[in-house]
Amino acid sequence: MGSNPIVVSGSSTNRTTRPNNNKNKNNNDPCVSSSAFVFLIGSFIILGSICGLYVRFLMTPNVHAGLSAIGCKEDDEGSWSIGVFYGDSPFSLKPIEDTNIWRNESAAWPVANPVITCASASVAGFSSNFVADPFLYVQGDVLYMFFETKNSITMQGDIGVARSTDKGASWEQLGIALDEDWHLSYPYVFDYNGNIYMMPEGRAKGQLRLYRAVKFPMEWTLEKIIMKKPLVDSFIIPHDGKYWLFGSDHRGIGTEYNGQLEIWYSTSPLGPWKPHKKNPIYNTDKSMGARNGGRPFLFDGYLYRVGQDDGETYGRRIRLFKVEVLTTNVFKEVEVPLGLKASIKGRNAWNGARSHHLDVQRLSSGEWIGVTDGDRVPSGDASRRFNLGCASVLGVAALVILFGMLLGAVRGLVPLSWCPHDFGKRSDASLDWEQSNLISSRMRLFCSHLNRASSSLRTRIKPNTCSGSSVLALTFLVIVVLMCTGVKYIYGGSGAHEAYPLHGQYSQFTLLTMTYDARLWNLKMYVKHYSRCSSVREVVVVWNKGQPPELSEFDSAVPVRIRVEEKNSLNNRFKVDPSIKTRSVLELDDDIMMPCDDVERGFKVWREHPERIVGFYPRLANGSPLKYRAESHARKHNGYNMILTGAAFIDSKMAFEMYWSKEAAAGREIVDNLFNCEDVLLNFLYANASSSKTVEYVKPAWAIDTSKFSGVAISGNTQTHYALRSSCLEKFSEMYGSISNRKSEFNHRMDGWDV
């Protein structure tokens, strides 16, 4: 450009050659020398380090991480599991934990829902991502549960079966009862003429099939193809001398998906079947409960149909309908309340987001039992989180470039080498095309404008000024937050703080705190947070002084009970309380805030060692005389012999009775006189009662002392506080023997929870 063309001779055709002005432009590698490259690499290292720390200390671990190789993999359909309920009628069902069933074998005091999960199936030998659609079959005192289990390898549904001999408190996984080459679910099981039949959904095959048990419950054979229709969630019931088949066919043009229902009738479950004259019975919005959601049942002479509300998300909730008229010409039903209360613990509850199936039956004892499925996340949650995570990462990339421009490390938004006019050596035809092509010229203009904008941005912001530095700091903060958010969405799972099962079973504990009127602000925040932890059954507030608050003042997901004490004494913390229904009690000061996951981990460790004090704040009392020191002293000597009960799990019966025994009377008097050392006393009592290990430490990911913000810390003077406790150590050693030789080391657990 600006030079005359050179005519080269000596060839059969004359040729015009353009000079290559870029000959030496790329002699040096720009990536090696450019500040932009160094800046981007540095940014990658810094952000990667920050995200590593975030994952290490703040991200909730996956409860099923050890099972990921064989099952419990993240699935876009959800993480369904199954729970058991009991009641005097189908309308008074309560979860199994409310019946206070205890199982020593699995350290479940009491047993809590869910009773069957993907882990139950996977550990038993058949990999499963989730379990759903439970149906019961009752044989005397033995319960069989058939359910859909999504195979983690084939990614299709199979029919699993489990057996219970204790009314549903524990379940033995028997294996896969039915496996076809297509997806199976909704295993409706019933009796007819002395045989046991199963009619699962298999719409992928395009048929509704009936199977007969050859060797119940594990061997089945195809009895008959009832219909060559891909019916969804179908059941057969006898009513008024006929058999009725309810199901949904979503194939038709104009059919509302999950909002359609059809009925057929026959004189036998084997057919032939005739359609109801009002078919389709429903073709309405998917939230109206048209699609079946479990087994229908009879109660007080009325037939009830279970439907599912798929409005907000698939399987959002169960709806119950009372059938008023069912004839070959007319069908009429009205919705009635079911009575099952939805959890308000959100994702921390096994059924916090949705529940779409119910099978309720009456036992020979007259009691009703129900099984239902539940999920903690809505449908499609995995894809939604992945998309949000990718969007966050892209946002980070854009902000990093912006940050580099403000620093001057990145000179332009678009490198000149990306523009069409600077692609290096090209043919004459290419150059001629670029000159005449409108798109190419506009792209050159767009690149130029972008780079000019980046230069003017740095000129306006002026990083060296106070306002410019503030913009840089704010931009960096947004980058870090957005990056951690992206990592959390992509790798952090559902974000739920799930309970940790032990021997395949879950349990619950009571949360107990001691406080008074000046700390009400702490207490309200405390109750709102911890009541939503998965395994918390009840919050007990020991009110030592002042006017107690009204229960309506608390935002709680579980019952709150305020126990008003006559005397302001620290001994009240361990008072015997017959109203506590769980064996485990978490003594937790109202000024300590930590993640629910830390609480759940501590609860699992206590269930492994219920004879110990299991907590989050270790101390080492040693020396002559014994001296009370901070946790750093225990770390320095790699051991501890006390756990502070301001944040510790204990056996309510054993600990409370021990503390209020005659042997502990003198110790309690010291606690009252000093208004201190109640936790030190309990540690001595535990050590005096056993020759084996009596304390166990669990490291929290993080913990915050909220009393620092409210200014109502009980022990504000650390030096005086430690001196009082050192005095207690000496006195309790004289009474109950020294604990200096009862040292436990850190980092002895295989799971690394005590590092």
Side-chain angles (χ1 to χ4, degrees):
M1 296 190 300
S3 301
N4 293 323
I6 300 174
V7 179
V8 181
S9 61
S11 61
S12 57
T13 54
N14 291 336
R15 202 172 156 193
T16 302
T17 305
R18 301 177 190 269
N20 183 3
N21 294 331
N22 299 323
K23 181 177 180 180
N24 297 317
K25 189 172 183 177
N26 297 319
N27 282 346
N28 298 321
D29 185 0
C31 288
V32 174
S33 57
S34 73
S35 60
F37 178 76
V38 174
F39 169 78
L40 293 176
I41 292 297
S43 299
F44 176 80
I45 294 173
I46 293 173
L47 290 177
S49 301
I50 293 174
C51 288
L53 293 174
Y54 172 75
V55 171
R56 172 67 178 83
F57 294 106
L58 295 179
M59 188 176 290
T60 303
N62 184 357
V63 171
H64 305 298
L67 295 170
S68 59
I70 57 175
C72 292
K73 298 178 181 178
E74 195 166 61
D75 197 298
D76 219 31
E77 289 190 68
S79 56
W80 296 92
S81 51
I82 298 171
V84 173
F85 294 73
Y86 302 96
D88 296 328
S89 79
F91 302 95
S92 61
L93 296 175
K94 295 181 179 179
I96 189 172
E97 50 265 29
D98 286 1
T99 61
N100 214 33
I101 298 175
W102 288 25
R103 286 292 176 270
N104 294 331
E105 300 81 6
S106 57
W109 308 292
V111 175
N113 280 324
V115 295
I116 297 181
T117 66
C118 61
S120 310
S122 298
V123 169
F126 50 102
S127 62
S128 173
N129 281 359
F130 63 78
V131 292
D133 291 355
F135 281 101
L136 289 174
Y137 185 83
V138 182
Q139 276 189 344
D141 294 330
V142 180
L143 302 178
Y144 293 91
M145 187 193 299
F146 294 85
F147 53 89
E148 173 195 352
T149 170
K150 187 171 182 180
N151 191 298
S152 302
I153 300 172
T154 65
M155 298 301 288
Q156 74 174 26
D158 302 323
I159 304 303
V161 60
R163 176 175 56 201
S164 175
T165 56
D166 55 7
K167 288 187 13 177
S170 60
W171 294 85
E172 175 191 3
Q173 296 295 323
L174 302 180
I176 299 298
L178 188 61
D179 182 8
E180 295 283 17
D181 294 334
W182 53 90
H183 176 84
L184 297 175
S185 62
Y186 206 83
Y188 182 71
V189 183
F190 65 97
D191 288 319
Y192 176 67
N193 277 357
N195 292 315
I196 304 174
Y197 293 93
M198 181 198 300
M199 189 176 68
E201 178 197 313
R203 57 175 161 171
K205 184 67 175 176
Q207 300 171 345
L208 182 60
R209 293 183 157 209
L210 187 66
Y211 297 82
R212 176 173 50 84
V214 177
K215 189 176 181 181
F216 185 85
M218 295 302 296
E219 294 184 19
W220 300 79
T221 186
L222 178 62
E223 181 76 4
K224 187 174 183 179
I225 298 175
I226 293 182
M227 285 188 188
K228 292 185 178 180
K229 279 176 167 282
L231 292 185
V232 175
D233 294 353
S234 304
F235 62 75
I236 296 174
I237 55 166
H239 182 73
D240 284 348
K242 292 183 175 62
Y243 285 88
W244 303 85
L245 190 156
F246 287 61
S248 299
D249 185 355
H250 296 150
R251 294 176 306 168
I253 299 175
T255 298
E256 292 291 335
Y257 192 77
N258 289 338
Q260 196 260 16
L261 179 67
E262 297 182 10
I263 300 176
W264 292 264
Y265 60 93
S266 174
T267 57
S268 164
L270 304 180
W273 295 93
K274 297 180 180 179
H276 195 279
K277 290 188 177 181
K278 295 292 185 179
N279 277 348
I281 301 299
Y282 294 124
N283 188 28
T284 184
D285 186 84
K286 58 186 177 181
S287 66
M288 301 305 294
R291 180 169 175 172
N292 293 322
R295 185 190 302 272
F297 61 88
L298 285 171
F299 182 72
D300 282 349
Y302 290 98
L303 176 65
Y304 293 86
R305 183 183 72 87
V306 184
Q308 54 177 290
D309 175 353
D310 295 322
E312 298 174 19
T313 182
Y314 171 72
R316 174 64 186 90
R317 67 186 179 100
I318 297 169
R319 301 181 70 167
L320 187 64
F321 300 90
K322 178 181 178 181
V323 178
E324 294 186 333
V325 182
L326 176 56
T327 68
T328 58
N329 298 316
V330 181
F331 175 76
K332 182 181 179 182
E333 63 181 7
V334 294
E335 186 170 8
V336 294
L338 176 58
L340 282 177
K341 292 184 179 180
S343 172
I344 58 174
K345 291 188 176 185
R347 296 195 175 205
N348 290 349
W350 68 277
N351 59 348
R354 50 186 179 153
S355 178
H356 79 331
H357 185 100
L358 172 69
D359 182 7
V360 58
Q361 297 191 39
R362 190 173 187 177
L363 302 177
S364 58
S365 62
E367 185 180 22
W368 288 80
I369 182 172
V371 288
T372 182
D373 57 13
D375 195 0
R376 62 180 74 251
V377 297
S379 179
D381 183 70
S383 293
R384 183 188 64 85
R385 285 186 281 107
F386 180 78
N387 293 336
L388 288 174
C390 290
S392 298
V393 172
L394 289 176
V396 168
L399 287 175
V400 165
I401 294 174
L402 175 64
F403 192 74
M405 289 167 45
L406 295 176
L407 289 176
V410 178
R411 300 295 181 182
L413 284 174
V414 181
L416 293 177
S417 60
W418 292 8
C419 297
H421 65 273
D422 197 38
F423 280 165
K425 186 176 181 179
R426 287 153 297 160
S427 67
D428 295 332
S430 176
L431 288 169
D432 292 337
W433 177 84
E434 286 182 15
Q435 290 181 349
S436 62
N437 190 275
L438 180 61
I439 296 178
S440 176
S441 61
R442 286 186 175 179
M443 180 150 318
R444 289 196 300 271
L445 184 62
F446 177 71
C447 293
S448 176
H449 285 171
L450 279 179
N451 290 339
R452 192 179 303 123
S454 64
S455 301
S456 62
L457 182 64
R458 176 174 167 79
T459 303
R460 291 184 179 182
I461 297 298
K462 297 179 181 179
N464 294 330
T465 64
C466 181
S467 60
S469 299
S470 300
V471 171
L472 285 174
L474 180 61
T475 303
F476 180 75
L477 179 62
V478 173
I479 289 173
V480 171
V481 172
L482 203 58
M483 188 67 186
C484 291
T485 301
V487 170
K488 179 180 179 181
Y489 276 132
I490 296 175
Y491 298 106
S494 66
H497 291 220
E498 298 183 43
Y500 289 78
L502 182 65
H503 306 308
Q505 286 199 307
Y506 295 85
S507 189
Q508 291 185 323
F509 62 87
T510 299
L511 184 63
L512 187 147
T513 189
M514 185 170 62
T515 190
Y516 60 100
D517 51 0
R519 297 164 66 92
L520 186 57
W521 176 81
N522 291 54
L523 182 62
K524 289 181 178 180
M525 183 169 55
Y526 172 101
V527 170
K528 182 177 181 179
H529 172 65
Y530 288 115
S531 69
R532 286 161 173 79
C533 295
S534 181
S535 299
V536 174
R537 177 170 180 171
E538 180 189 29
V539 176
V540 176
V541 178
V542 179
W543 195 262
N544 261 2
K545 186 177 67 174
Q547 180 66 31
E550 297 293 332
L551 294 179
S552 58
E553 296 183 47
F554 297 106
D555 178 5
S556 179
V558 299
V560 176
R561 178 164 57 92
I562 300 177
R563 197 179 77 202
V564 180
E565 301 292 347
E566 296 180 0
K567 178 183 178 182
N568 184 14
S569 169
L570 296 181
N571 290 321
N572 293 332
R573 180 193 294 272
F574 304 119
K575 183 176 288 187
V576 177
D577 188 344
S579 297
I580 292 177
K581 302 301 181 183
T582 63
R583 180 174 174 181
S584 175
V585 167
L586 172 59
E587 295 272 359
L588 187 62
D589 289 347
D590 63 346
D591 55 6
I592 295 177
M593 296 295 289
M594 65 177 67
C596 283
D597 179 69
D598 288 336
V599 172
E600 296 295 346
R601 289 190 296 114
F603 183 42
K604 184 191 178 185
V605 174
W606 179 85
R607 291 177 66 194
E608 295 171 348
H609 306 287
E611 75 285 355
R612 300 176 185 173
I613 301 174
V614 177
F616 304 94
Y617 293 95
R619 295 291 186 268
L620 178 63
N622 61 357
S624 183
L626 290 177
K627 189 175 181 180
Y628 184 87
R629 299 177 177 89
E631 182 178 336
S632 57
H633 177 74
R635 294 285 181 184
K636 181 178 179 181
H637 291 81
N638 191 34
Y640 58 94
N641 51 19
M642 290 197 307
I643 293 292
L644 301 188
T645 57
F649 286 92
I650 57 176
D651 183 327
S652 60
K653 181 176 175 61
M654 182 180 78
F656 293 170
E657 290 181 356
M658 185 187 302
Y659 193 89
W660 287 90
S661 64
K662 292 181 180 179
E663 293 76 12
R668 295 197 303 273
E669 185 176 352
I670 292 175
V671 171
D672 276 337
N673 291 336
L674 298 178
F675 205 76
N676 205 322
C677 302
E678 79 286 357
D679 51 350
V680 178
L681 174 58
L682 187 65
N683 275 271
F684 270 88
L685 295 175
Y686 262 74
N688 186 54
S690 174
S691 59
S692 59
K693 184 177 179 179
T694 58
V695 289
E696 189 80 20
Y697 168 64
V698 177
K699 183 179 181 180
W702 55 265
I704 299 174
D705 183 356
T706 59
S707 67
K708 305 297 184 184
F709 306 102
S710 60
V712 289
I714 294 178
S715 52
N717 190 320
T718 302
Q719 187 174 357
T720 302
H721 178 63
Y722 279 26
L724 286 174
R725 287 178 164 254
S726 295
S727 173
C728 290
L729 289 174
E730 293 185 50
K731 294 177 181 178
F732 293 157
S733 294
E734 296 174 0
M735 295 177 180
Y736 309 109
S738 178
I739 61 172
S740 60
N741 60 342
R742 305 294 294 271
K743 179 180 174 182
S744 299
E745 293 185 352
F746 293 103
N747 200 23
H748 76 279
R749 290 183 60 87
M750 296 296 293
D751 52 29
W753 289 354
D754 62 339
V755 295

